[in-house]
């Protein structure tokens, strides 16, 4: 592939040059991501913008606590349950949020449970009914 900033080749080279092979595993495109969620303890999202994040909803379905940059317009994060949001590009606060989640087994389990409950609440939302109500009110 093309070697540009952020490309797969660039990322793989960065991992190799910084001896991070034991900490970062670059998989590329994967169709079945369930194994990764089952083996993960947390999701770190460093996106500056998202419209609907399948990654966040999947992580919540697996009960993963989430640390992300502020995405105030993202409906999935409206109640922030199981999620710690930090200011955009604030890496230090993101690290501190991760440490807070792993402070103890009890704290971790509370975030995990809250994340799963957020997913359940969101998945039960009647979007068709909400749109119908909006359309009927405008008529």
């Amino acid at each position: 592939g093309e070697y540009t900033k952020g490309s797969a080749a660039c990322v793989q080279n960065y991992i190799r040059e910084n001896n991070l092979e034991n900490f970062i595993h670059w998989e590329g495109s994967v169709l079945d991501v369930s194994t990764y969620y089952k083996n993960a303890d947390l999701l770190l999202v460093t996106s500056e913008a998202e419209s609907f994040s399948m990654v966040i909803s999947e992580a919540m379905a697996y009960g993963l606590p989430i640390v992300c940059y502020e995405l105030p317009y993202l409906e999935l994060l409206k109640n922030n349950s199981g999620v710690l949001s930090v200011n955009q590009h604030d890496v230090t606060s993101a690290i501190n949020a991760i440490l807070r989640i792993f402070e103890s087994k009890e704290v971790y389990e509370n975030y995990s449970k809250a994340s799963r409950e957020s997913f359940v609440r969101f998945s039960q939302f009647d979007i068709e009914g909400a749109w119908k109500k909006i359309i009927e009110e405008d008529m």
Side-chain angles (χ1 to χ4, degrees), residues 57-102:
S57 63
E58 289 169 342
M60 285 178 163
Y62 281 88
L64 293 179
I66 298 167
V67 172
C68 64
Y69 290 147
E70 290 286 344
L71 300 168
Y73 46 83
L74 192 59
E75 191 64 36
L76 194 57
L77 299 178
K78 286 286 191 225
N79 68 10
N80 268 358
S81 190
V83 178
L84 284 177
S85 297
V86 300
N87 291 331
Q88 290 282 334
H89 307 288
D90 188 347
V91 175
T92 302
S93 291
I95 292 167
N96 288 332
I98 291 169
L99 293 174
R100 192 171 325 133
I101 289 170
F102 289 114

Side-chain angles (χ1 to χ4, degrees), residues 11-121:
V11 172
Q12 289 168 324
N13 189 53
Y14 181 88
I15 292 168
R16 199 172 31 258
E17 284 180 351
N18 292 280
N19 299 313
L20 297 171
E21 296 90 348
N22 292 330
F23 305 101
I24 300 174
H25 304 277
W26 182 264
E27 297 294 336
S29 293
V30 178
L31 292 178
D32 181 13
V33 295
S34 61
T35 303
Y36 298 97
Y37 289 115
K38 287 176 189 170
N39 291 319
D41 293 317
L42 177 132
L43 175 68
L44 173 64
V45 180
T46 57
S47 297
E48 294 180 16
E50 291 281 346
S51 55
F52 178 83
S53 177
M54 186 63 79
V55 172
I56 291 174
S57 63
E58 289 169 342
M60 285 178 163
Y62 281 88
L64 293 179
I66 298 167
V67 172
C68 64
Y69 290 147
E70 290 286 344
L71 300 168
Y73 46 83
L74 192 59
E75 191 64 36
L76 194 57
L77 299 178
K78 286 286 191 225
N79 68 10
N80 268 358
S81 190
V83 178
L84 284 177
S85 297
V86 300
N87 291 331
Q88 290 282 334
H89 307 288
D90 188 347
V91 175
T92 302
S93 291
I95 292 167
N96 288 332
I98 291 169
L99 293 174
R100 192 171 325 133
I101 289 170
F102 289 114
E103 185 179 301
S104 71
K105 186 175 180 164
E106 182 182 5
V107 171
Y108 178 84
E109 287 174 357
N110 287 338
Y111 276 101
S112 176
K113 184 176 180 227
S115 180
R116 175 78 179 129
E117 288 170 354
S118 288
F119 173 77
V120 170
R121 271 193 309 277

